Amino acid sequence: MTSPLSPELATALRVERIEAAASAAPPDFRALLHEKQREFFDYDGRERNVLGGRQGGKTFGVVAWQWAGAGDKPGSLNPYLALTSASARNIVWPEVLRISQSLGFPSDWLHERELLVKFPNGSIWKAAGTDDSRTIESWRGVKTYRPALDEMGSQDNAFIGYFLSEIIWPTMIRFKGQLAKVGTPARVCDGYWFDQTGPQRADTMPKLFRWTAWDNPALGTTSEVDAFVDEFLANNGMTRESPAFIREWLAQWVNDLTELVFPVDISKNVLPCLPIRSRTGVPLHKEGWRYVKGADIGVKDATAVSVVAAHQHDPRAFILQTRNLGSNVLIGTLRDYLRELNEVFPGPVVIDAGGMGKYHHEELTKQWLMAIEPAKKVEKESHVRDVRDRLMAGKVVIVSQFSDGKEGANDALMSEWAVLGWDEHGRLPNPNQADHVSDAVCYALRKLFHYKLGEDKPPIAHGSAEWYAEEVKRMRAVRIAKYTPSSRKNSPWD
């Protein structure tokens, strides 16, 4: 049995191997690519977009381009950002292994646990998810050369502009970097990615590259790809005219509202402000409105707040405004925002009391004496379907303007609903997509109810003498219930 290498000898061998790799001729990444990928690889512009279909080789081509850049710019960071850290591991890392094996890279360059590759010249390639806002914010001071942002069709529209302009672009100045944005079309012809790659895109937009499975020789001949696609369509009850096939395989933009959890029809689901009359002409007096605030609490995930309203003489529910407060929101910040909303929209507040939401609920209730109710989260599938059905029937209306007339009251919600699709079972929203604002709206809508016709009594104002009297009654009832025999467990007196 041979003895293991001494630490000194192992280090010397590793250094020798790294120096040899650094002095060797640059690897021929281009030889691994098909013709359409090479056009992308050879382009020397600052920014480029890739609109690709399934199995066309988007990830492989972009990673090869990034690695070539890492070799050209010592000490640079070249991040590959997918939708989530899990998708980065599942989608990108297999391509990393393929490229490294094809080019004979040493295995100790690859660090799978951290999803990064360390090159001998000090450059780093790293895969991560855009869902981890703390990690993204920490990249503000780094020096990137070839950052790439994947799954653009599913990225949050409210987030992506800020992320690119305020975080990514400034990091490229040192190395005069190049940016790649990659993805398939989204389900709806709207949003940031549609503006960048849709048929109506402006001439000033970055250069667009397109390729599909039929351009990828690794999949076989054109006839072989056609045969597989025909079998796929037959097994899934689809045709070549199906929106999902056009979007996912041909990488062409087409509206497909059927695949959205909450499909919004502008003509029946959006109004600039609250109506003054119902659809049947009944006046909607100010004192007849009822308001509910909903909050979805996150720590690593975002915290979102919504305000919904209904009137006793109108069967519709109105989403007045929504806001994504971001992650790591302090309780004091949430408290101040809810108090601000209560001044304008008096009424109950419902909060997701699961996880960290339970702590927020208790603090806001006990320490800050706010009337907070836990959100009902049971039967989520049924409730999601109910909100979807009401939306499609025109009974849920989104208000586009704030009370002062400024636009954007529900931009956060519209950004989510424009791309939020179903999970693999078609039962709940896709867990890999942001739905925090959607949850805040659903919690509030579940609490919201309409007054009975003829009941003109306005809601009790929060903090009024009548409100305090009702709170005393409620608290007394809770104490009485606590000490009744039926509520005691294992009491020696029973």
Side-chain angles (χ1 to χ4, degrees), residues 45-65:
R46 179 77 62 205
E47 187 175 357
R48 76 285 312 279
N49 294 323
V50 178
L51 192 66
R54 299 291 292 273
Q55 301 301 316
K58 300 186 300 295
T59 304
F60 189 94
V62 172
V63 171
W65 169 75

mmCIF file with all atom_site columns, all heavy atoms in Angstrom, residues 45-65:
data_model
loop_
_atom_site.group_PDB
_atom_site.id
_atom_site.type_symbol
_atom_site.label_atom_id
_atom_site.label_alt_id
_atom_site.label_comp_id
_atom_site.label_asym_id
_atom_site.label_entity_id
_atom_site.label_seq_id
_atom_site.pdbx_PDB_ins_code
_atom_site.Cartn_x
_atom_site.Cartn_y
_atom_site.Cartn_z
_atom_site.occupancy
_atom_site.B_iso_or_equiv
_atom_site.pdbx_formal_charge
_atom_site.auth_seq_id
_atom_site.auth_comp_id
_atom_site.auth_asym_id
_atom_site.auth_atom_id
_atom_site.pdbx_PDB_model_num
ATOM 1   N N   . GLY A 1 45 ? -20.349 43.402 -29.173 1.00 0.00 ? 45 GLY A N   1
ATOM 2   C CA  . GLY A 1 45 ? -21.086 44.528 -28.601 1.00 0.00 ? 45 GLY A CA  1
ATOM 3   C C   . GLY A 1 45 ? -21.185 44.460 -27.092 1.00 0.00 ? 45 GLY A C   1
ATOM 4   O O   . GLY A 1 45 ? -20.896 43.429 -26.473 1.00 0.00 ? 45 GLY A O   1
ATOM 5   N N   . ARG A 1 46 ? -21.621 45.550 -26.507 1.00 0.00 ? 46 ARG A N   1
ATOM 6   C CA  . ARG A 1 46 ? -21.704 45.647 -25.046 1.00 0.00 ? 46 ARG A CA  1
ATOM 7   C C   . ARG A 1 46 ? -22.807 44.757 -24.472 1.00 0.00 ? 46 ARG A C   1
ATOM 8   O O   . ARG A 1 46 ? -22.647 44.164 -23.412 1.00 0.00 ? 46 ARG A O   1
ATOM 9   C CB  . ARG A 1 46 ? -21.980 47.096 -24.644 1.00 0.00 ? 46 ARG A CB  1
ATOM 10  C CG  . ARG A 1 46 ? -22.116 47.319 -23.133 1.00 0.00 ? 46 ARG A CG  1
ATOM 11  C CD  . ARG A 1 46 ? -20.772 47.322 -22.462 1.00 0.00 ? 46 ARG A CD  1
ATOM 12  N NE  . ARG A 1 46 ? -19.959 48.420 -22.962 1.00 0.00 ? 46 ARG A NE  1
ATOM 13  C CZ  . ARG A 1 46 ? -18.642 48.459 -22.966 1.00 0.00 ? 46 ARG A CZ  1
ATOM 14  N NH1 . ARG A 1 46 ? -17.961 47.409 -22.504 1.00 0.00 ? 46 ARG A NH1 1
ATOM 15  N NH2 . ARG A 1 46 ? -17.972 49.497 -23.433 1.00 0.00 ? 46 ARG A NH2 1
ATOM 16  N N   . GLU A 1 47 ? -23.933 44.672 -25.160 1.00 0.00 ? 47 GLU A N   1
ATOM 17  C CA  . GLU A 1 47 ? -25.087 43.957 -24.628 1.00 0.00 ? 47 GLU A CA  1
ATOM 18  C C   . GLU A 1 47 ? -25.740 43.161 -25.749 1.00 0.00 ? 47 GLU A C   1
ATOM 19  O O   . GLU A 1 47 ? -25.804 43.610 -26.886 1.00 0.00 ? 47 GLU A O   1
ATOM 20  C CB  . GLU A 1 47 ? -26.078 44.960 -24.023 1.00 0.00 ? 47 GLU A CB  1
ATOM 21  C CG  . GLU A 1 47 ? -27.236 44.345 -23.287 1.00 0.00 ? 47 GLU A CG  1
ATOM 22  C CD  . GLU A 1 47 ? -28.120 45.387 -22.607 1.00 0.00 ? 47 GLU A CD  1
ATOM 23  O OE1 . GLU A 1 47 ? -27.775 46.587 -22.675 1.00 0.00 ? 47 GLU A OE1 1
ATOM 24  O OE2 . GLU A 1 47 ? -29.140 44.992 -22.023 1.00 0.00 ? 47 GLU A OE2 1
ATOM 25  N N   . ARG A 1 48 ? -26.226 41.980 -25.407 1.00 0.00 ? 48 ARG A N   1
ATOM 26  C CA  . ARG A 1 48 ? -26.907 41.139 -26.380 1.00 0.00 ? 48 ARG A CA  1
ATOM 27  C C   . ARG A 1 48 ? -28.002 40.331 -25.704 1.00 0.00 ? 48 ARG A C   1
ATOM 28  O O   . ARG A 1 48 ? -27.921 40.030 -24.499 1.00 0.00 ? 48 ARG A O   1
ATOM 29  C CB  . ARG A 1 48 ? -25.928 40.210 -27.109 1.00 0.00 ? 48 ARG A CB  1
ATOM 30  C CG  . ARG A 1 48 ? -25.393 38.992 -26.385 1.00 0.00 ? 48 ARG A CG  1
ATOM 31  C CD  . ARG A 1 48 ? -24.340 39.259 -25.325 1.00 0.00 ? 48 ARG A CD  1
ATOM 32  N NE  . ARG A 1 48 ? -23.279 40.143 -25.759 1.00 0.00 ? 48 ARG A NE  1
ATOM 33  C CZ  . ARG A 1 48 ? -22.224 39.770 -26.485 1.00 0.00 ? 48 ARG A CZ  1
ATOM 34  N NH1 . ARG A 1 48 ? -22.093 38.509 -26.840 1.00 0.00 ? 48 ARG A NH1 1
ATOM 35  N NH2 . ARG A 1 48 ? -21.287 40.641 -26.810 1.00 0.00 ? 48 ARG A NH2 1
ATOM 36  N N   . ASN A 1 49 ? -29.069 40.002 -26.476 1.00 0.00 ? 49 ASN A N   1
ATOM 37  C CA  . ASN A 1 49 ? -30.175 39.191 -25.995 1.00 0.00 ? 49 ASN A CA  1
ATOM 38  C C   . ASN A 1 49 ? -30.231 37.890 -26.780 1.00 0.00 ? 49 ASN A C   1
ATOM 39  O O   . ASN A 1 49 ? -29.980 37.872 -27.988 1.00 0.00 ? 49 ASN A O   1
ATOM 40  C CB  . ASN A 1 49 ? -31.509 39.929 -26.171 1.00 0.00 ? 49 ASN A CB  1
ATOM 41  C CG  . ASN A 1 49 ? -31.603 41.160 -25.299 1.00 0.00 ? 49 ASN A CG  1
ATOM 42  O OD1 . ASN A 1 49 ? -31.134 41.169 -24.164 1.00 0.00 ? 49 ASN A OD1 1
ATOM 43  N ND2 . ASN A 1 49 ? -32.212 42.229 -25.816 1.00 0.00 ? 49 ASN A ND2 1
ATOM 44  N N   . VAL A 1 50 ? -30.569 36.812 -26.082 1.00 0.00 ? 50 VAL A N   1
ATOM 45  C CA  . VAL A 1 50 ? -30.743 35.509 -26.721 1.00 0.00 ? 50 VAL A CA  1
ATOM 46  C C   . VAL A 1 50 ? -32.163 35.032 -26.465 1.00 0.00 ? 50 VAL A C   1
ATOM 47  O O   . VAL A 1 50 ? -32.557 34.803 -25.321 1.00 0.00 ? 50 VAL A O   1
ATOM 48  C CB  . VAL A 1 50 ? -29.742 34.469 -26.175 1.00 0.00 ? 50 VAL A CB  1
ATOM 49  C CG1 . VAL A 1 50 ? -29.993 33.115 -26.849 1.00 0.00 ? 50 VAL A CG1 1
ATOM 50  C CG2 . VAL A 1 50 ? -28.313 34.916 -26.406 1.00 0.00 ? 50 VAL A CG2 1
ATOM 51  N N   . LEU A 1 51 ? -32.955 34.922 -27.531 1.00 0.00 ? 51 LEU A N   1
ATOM 52  C CA  . LEU A 1 51 ? -34.313 34.394 -27.451 1.00 0.00 ? 51 LEU A CA  1
ATOM 53  C C   . LEU A 1 51 ? -34.278 32.989 -28.039 1.00 0.00 ? 51 LEU A C   1
ATOM 54  O O   . LEU A 1 51 ? -34.240 32.814 -29.263 1.00 0.00 ? 51 LEU A O   1
ATOM 55  C CB  . LEU A 1 51 ? -35.280 35.289 -28.227 1.00 0.00 ? 51 LEU A CB  1
ATOM 56  C CG  . LEU A 1 51 ? -36.771 35.034 -28.012 1.00 0.00 ? 51 LEU A CG  1
ATOM 57  C CD1 . LEU A 1 51 ? -37.161 35.370 -26.577 1.00 0.00 ? 51 LEU A CD1 1
ATOM 58  C CD2 . LEU A 1 51 ? -37.604 35.849 -28.984 1.00 0.00 ? 51 LEU A CD2 1
ATOM 59  N N   . GLY A 1 52 ? -34.235 31.993 -27.179 1.00 0.00 ? 52 GLY A N   1
ATOM 60  C CA  . GLY A 1 52 ? -34.018 30.632 -27.645 1.00 0.00 ? 52 GLY A CA  1
ATOM 61  C C   . GLY A 1 52 ? -35.125 29.686 -27.266 1.00 0.00 ? 52 GLY A C   1
ATOM 62  O O   . GLY A 1 52 ? -35.855 29.898 -26.295 1.00 0.00 ? 52 GLY A O   1
ATOM 63  N N   . GLY A 1 53 ? -35.270 28.614 -28.058 1.00 0.00 ? 53 GLY A N   1
ATOM 64  C CA  . GLY A 1 53 ? -36.256 27.588 -27.775 1.00 0.00 ? 53 GLY A CA  1
ATOM 65  C C   . GLY A 1 53 ? -35.670 26.463 -26.948 1.00 0.00 ? 53 GLY A C   1
ATOM 66  O O   . GLY A 1 53 ? -34.463 26.397 -26.691 1.00 0.00 ? 53 GLY A O   1
ATOM 67  N N   . ARG A 1 54 ? -36.532 25.542 -26.530 1.00 0.00 ? 54 ARG A N   1
ATOM 68  C CA  . ARG A 1 54 ? -36.104 24.409 -25.704 1.00 0.00 ? 54 ARG A CA  1
ATOM 69  C C   . ARG A 1 54 ? -35.077 23.567 -26.435 1.00 0.00 ? 54 ARG A C   1
ATOM 70  O O   . ARG A 1 54 ? -35.209 23.275 -27.621 1.00 0.00 ? 54 ARG A O   1
ATOM 71  C CB  . ARG A 1 54 ? -37.323 23.550 -25.346 1.00 0.00 ? 54 ARG A CB  1
ATOM 72  C CG  . ARG A 1 54 ? -38.379 24.281 -24.551 1.00 0.00 ? 54 ARG A CG  1
ATOM 73  C CD  . ARG A 1 54 ? -37.895 24.596 -23.144 1.00 0.00 ? 54 ARG A CD  1
ATOM 74  N NE  . ARG A 1 54 ? -37.735 23.390 -22.365 1.00 0.00 ? 54 ARG A NE  1
ATOM 75  C CZ  . ARG A 1 54 ? -38.702 22.825 -21.665 1.00 0.00 ? 54 ARG A CZ  1
ATOM 76  N NH1 . ARG A 1 54 ? -39.916 23.359 -21.651 1.00 0.00 ? 54 ARG A NH1 1
ATOM 77  N NH2 . ARG A 1 54 ? -38.480 21.728 -20.978 1.00 0.00 ? 54 ARG A NH2 1
ATOM 78  N N   . GLN A 1 55 ? -34.025 23.182 -25.702 1.00 0.00 ? 55 GLN A N   1
ATOM 79  C CA  . GLN A 1 55 ? -32.959 22.301 -26.186 1.00 0.00 ? 55 GLN A CA  1
ATOM 80  C C   . GLN A 1 55 ? -32.170 22.892 -27.352 1.00 0.00 ? 55 GLN A C   1
ATOM 81  O O   . GLN A 1 55 ? -31.529 22.157 -28.102 1.00 0.00 ? 55 GLN A O   1
ATOM 82  C CB  . GLN A 1 55 ? -33.543 20.937 -26.595 1.00 0.00 ? 55 GLN A CB  1
ATOM 83  C CG  . GLN A 1 55 ? -34.253 20.205 -25.480 1.00 0.00 ? 55 GLN A CG  1
ATOM 84  C CD  . GLN A 1 55 ? -33.345 19.942 -24.281 1.00 0.00 ? 55 GLN A CD  1
ATOM 85  O OE1 . GLN A 1 55 ? -32.200 19.546 -24.447 1.00 0.00 ? 55 GLN A OE1 1
ATOM 86  N NE2 . GLN A 1 55 ? -33.859 20.180 -23.078 1.00 0.00 ? 55 GLN A NE2 1
ATOM 87  N N   . GLY A 1 56 ? -32.206 24.202 -27.479 1.00 0.00 ? 56 GLY A N   1
ATOM 88  C CA  . GLY A 1 56 ? -31.413 24.833 -28.539 1.00 0.00 ? 56 GLY A CA  1
ATOM 89  C C   . GLY A 1 56 ? -29.967 25.066 -28.155 1.00 0.00 ? 56 GLY A C   1
ATOM 90  O O   . GLY A 1 56 ? -29.133 25.367 -29.010 1.00 0.00 ? 56 GLY A O   1
ATOM 91  N N   . GLY A 1 57 ? -29.646 24.937 -26.865 1.00 0.00 ? 57 GLY A N   1
ATOM 92  C CA  . GLY A 1 57 ? -28.275 25.127 -26.408 1.00 0.00 ? 57 GLY A CA  1
ATOM 93  C C   . GLY A 1 57 ? -27.986 26.523 -25.902 1.00 0.00 ? 57 GLY A C   1
ATOM 94  O O   . GLY A 1 57 ? -26.850 26.992 -25.988 1.00 0.00 ? 57 GLY A O   1
ATOM 95  N N   . LYS A 1 58 ? -29.004 27.196 -25.331 1.00 0.00 ? 58 LYS A N   1
ATOM 96  C CA  . LYS A 1 58 ? -28.791 28.552 -24.809 1.00 0.00 ? 58 LYS A CA  1
ATOM 97  C C   . LYS A 1 58 ? -27.752 28.545 -23.693 1.00 0.00 ? 58 LYS A C   1
ATOM 98  O O   . LYS A 1 58 ? -26.791 29.308 -23.719 1.00 0.00 ? 58 LYS A O   1
ATOM 99  C CB  . LYS A 1 58 ? -30.105 29.136 -24.273 1.00 0.00 ? 58 LYS A CB  1
ATOM 100 C CG  . LYS A 1 58 ? -31.219 29.262 -25.272 1.00 0.00 ? 58 LYS A CG  1
ATOM 101 C CD  . LYS A 1 58 ? -32.421 29.984 -24.678 1.00 0.00 ? 58 LYS A CD  1
ATOM 102 C CE  . LYS A 1 58 ? -32.997 29.287 -23.470 1.00 0.00 ? 58 LYS A CE  1
ATOM 103 N NZ  . LYS A 1 58 ? -33.560 27.956 -23.794 1.00 0.00 ? 58 LYS A NZ  1
ATOM 104 N N   . THR A 1 59 ? -27.976 27.686 -22.711 1.00 0.00 ? 59 THR A N   1
ATOM 105 C CA  . THR A 1 59 ? -27.097 27.662 -21.540 1.00 0.00 ? 59 THR A CA  1
ATOM 106 C C   . THR A 1 59 ? -25.676 27.282 -21.923 1.00 0.00 ? 59 THR A C   1
ATOM 107 O O   . THR A 1 59 ? -24.707 27.934 -21.486 1.00 0.00 ? 59 THR A O   1
ATOM 108 C CB  . THR A 1 59 ? -27.638 26.678 -20.495 1.00 0.00 ? 59 THR A CB  1
ATOM 109 O OG1 . THR A 1 59 ? -28.989 27.033 -20.165 1.00 0.00 ? 59 THR A OG1 1
ATOM 110 C CG2 . THR A 1 59 ? -26.793 26.696 -19.244 1.00 0.00 ? 59 THR A CG2 1
ATOM 111 N N   . PHE A 1 60 ? -25.522 26.250 -22.736 1.00 0.00 ? 60 PHE A N   1
ATOM 112 C CA  . PHE A 1 60 ? -24.199 25.791 -23.151 1.00 0.00 ? 60 PHE A CA  1
ATOM 113 C C   . PHE A 1 60 ? -23.438 26.908 -23.856 1.00 0.00 ? 60 PHE A C   1
ATOM 114 O O   . PHE A 1 60 ? -22.267 27.181 -23.545 1.00 0.00 ? 60 PHE A O   1
ATOM 115 C CB  . PHE A 1 60 ? -24.346 24.580 -24.082 1.00 0.00 ? 60 PHE A CB  1
ATOM 116 C CG  . PHE A 1 60 ? -23.051 23.885 -24.401 1.00 0.00 ? 60 PHE A CG  1
ATOM 117 C CD1 . PHE A 1 60 ? -22.638 22.796 -23.655 1.00 0.00 ? 60 PHE A CD1 1
ATOM 118 C CD2 . PHE A 1 60 ? -22.245 24.319 -25.445 1.00 0.00 ? 60 PHE A CD2 1
ATOM 119 C CE1 . PHE A 1 60 ? -21.436 22.148 -23.942 1.00 0.00 ? 60 PHE A CE1 1
ATOM 120 C CE2 . PHE A 1 60 ? -21.055 23.683 -25.741 1.00 0.00 ? 60 PHE A CE2 1
ATOM 121 C CZ  . PHE A 1 60 ? -20.640 22.596 -24.987 1.00 0.00 ? 60 PHE A CZ  1
ATOM 122 N N   . GLY A 1 61 ? -24.092 27.580 -24.799 1.00 0.00 ? 61 GLY A N   1
ATOM 123 C CA  . GLY A 1 61 ? -23.429 28.645 -25.551 1.00 0.00 ? 61 GLY A CA  1
ATOM 124 C C   . GLY A 1 61 ? -23.029 29.822 -24.692 1.00 0.00 ? 61 GLY A C   1
ATOM 125 O O   . GLY A 1 61 ? -21.942 30.386 -24.848 1.00 0.00 ? 61 GLY A O   1
ATOM 126 N N   . VAL A 1 62 ? -23.893 30.189 -23.744 1.00 0.00 ? 62 VAL A N   1
ATOM 127 C CA  . VAL A 1 62 ? -23.611 31.349 -22.894 1.00 0.00 ? 62 VAL A CA  1
ATOM 128 C C   . VAL A 1 62 ? -22.485 31.037 -21.913 1.00 0.00 ? 62 VAL A C   1
ATOM 129 O O   . VAL A 1 62 ? -21.597 31.874 -21.676 1.00 0.00 ? 62 VAL A O   1
ATOM 130 C CB  . VAL A 1 62 ? -24.889 31.797 -22.160 1.00 0.00 ? 62 VAL A CB  1
ATOM 131 C CG1 . VAL A 1 62 ? -24.563 32.867 -21.129 1.00 0.00 ? 62 VAL A CG1 1
ATOM 132 C CG2 . VAL A 1 62 ? -25.911 32.311 -23.151 1.00 0.00 ? 62 VAL A CG2 1
ATOM 133 N N   . VAL A 1 63 ? -22.499 29.831 -21.316 1.00 0.00 ? 63 VAL A N   1
ATOM 134 C CA  . VAL A 1 63 ? -21.435 29.472 -20.376 1.00 0.00 ? 63 VAL A CA  1
ATOM 135 C C   . VAL A 1 63 ? -20.084 29.425 -21.090 1.00 0.00 ? 63 VAL A C   1
ATOM 136 O O   . VAL A 1 63 ? -19.067 29.909 -20.562 1.00 0.00 ? 63 VAL A O   1
ATOM 137 C CB  . VAL A 1 63 ? -21.744 28.129 -19.696 1.00 0.00 ? 63 VAL A CB  1
ATOM 138 C CG1 . VAL A 1 63 ? -20.549 27.646 -18.885 1.00 0.00 ? 63 VAL A CG1 1
ATOM 139 C CG2 . VAL A 1 63 ? -22.964 28.254 -18.795 1.00 0.00 ? 63 VAL A CG2 1
ATOM 140 N N   . ALA A 1 64 ? -20.033 28.865 -22.312 1.00 0.00 ? 64 ALA A N   1
ATOM 141 C CA  . ALA A 1 64 ? -18.779 28.840 -23.074 1.00 0.00 ? 64 ALA A CA  1
ATOM 142 C C   . ALA A 1 64 ? -18.284 30.256 -23.338 1.00 0.00 ? 64 ALA A C   1
ATOM 143 O O   . ALA A 1 64 ? -17.081 30.545 -23.219 1.00 0.00 ? 64 ALA A O   1
ATOM 144 C CB  . ALA A 1 64 ? -18.988 28.090 -24.386 1.00 0.00 ? 64 ALA A CB  1
ATOM 145 N N   . TRP A 1 65 ? -19.173 31.154 -23.689 1.00 0.00 ? 65 TRP A N   1
ATOM 146 C CA  . TRP A 1 65 ? -18.821 32.566 -23.925 1.00 0.00 ? 65 TRP A CA  1
ATOM 147 C C   . TRP A 1 65 ? -18.286 33.206 -22.642 1.00 0.00 ? 65 TRP A C   1
ATOM 148 O O   . TRP A 1 65 ? -17.297 33.955 -22.676 1.00 0.00 ? 65 TRP A O   1
ATOM 149 C CB  . TRP A 1 65 ? -20.065 33.289 -24.434 1.00 0.00 ? 65 TRP A CB  1
ATOM 150 C CG  . TRP A 1 65 ? -19.981 34.771 -24.493 1.00 0.00 ? 65 TRP A CG  1
ATOM 151 C CD1 . TRP A 1 65 ? -19.301 35.530 -25.401 1.00 0.00 ? 65 TRP A CD1 1
ATOM 152 C CD2 . TRP A 1 65 ? -20.620 35.699 -23.592 1.00 0.00 ? 65 TRP A CD2 1
ATOM 153 N NE1 . TRP A 1 65 ? -19.474 36.876 -25.125 1.00 0.00 ? 65 TRP A NE1 1
ATOM 154 C CE2 . TRP A 1 65 ? -20.283 36.990 -24.019 1.00 0.00 ? 65 TRP A CE2 1
ATOM 155 C CE3 . TRP A 1 65 ? -21.443 35.551 -22.485 1.00 0.00 ? 65 TRP A CE3 1
ATOM 156 C CZ2 . TRP A 1 65 ? -20.744 38.135 -23.369 1.00 0.00 ? 65 TRP A CZ2 1
ATOM 157 C CZ3 . TRP A 1 65 ? -21.902 36.676 -21.836 1.00 0.00 ? 65 TRP A CZ3 1
ATOM 158 C CH2 . TRP A 1 65 ? -21.546 37.947 -22.273 1.00 0.00 ? 65 TRP A CH2 1
#
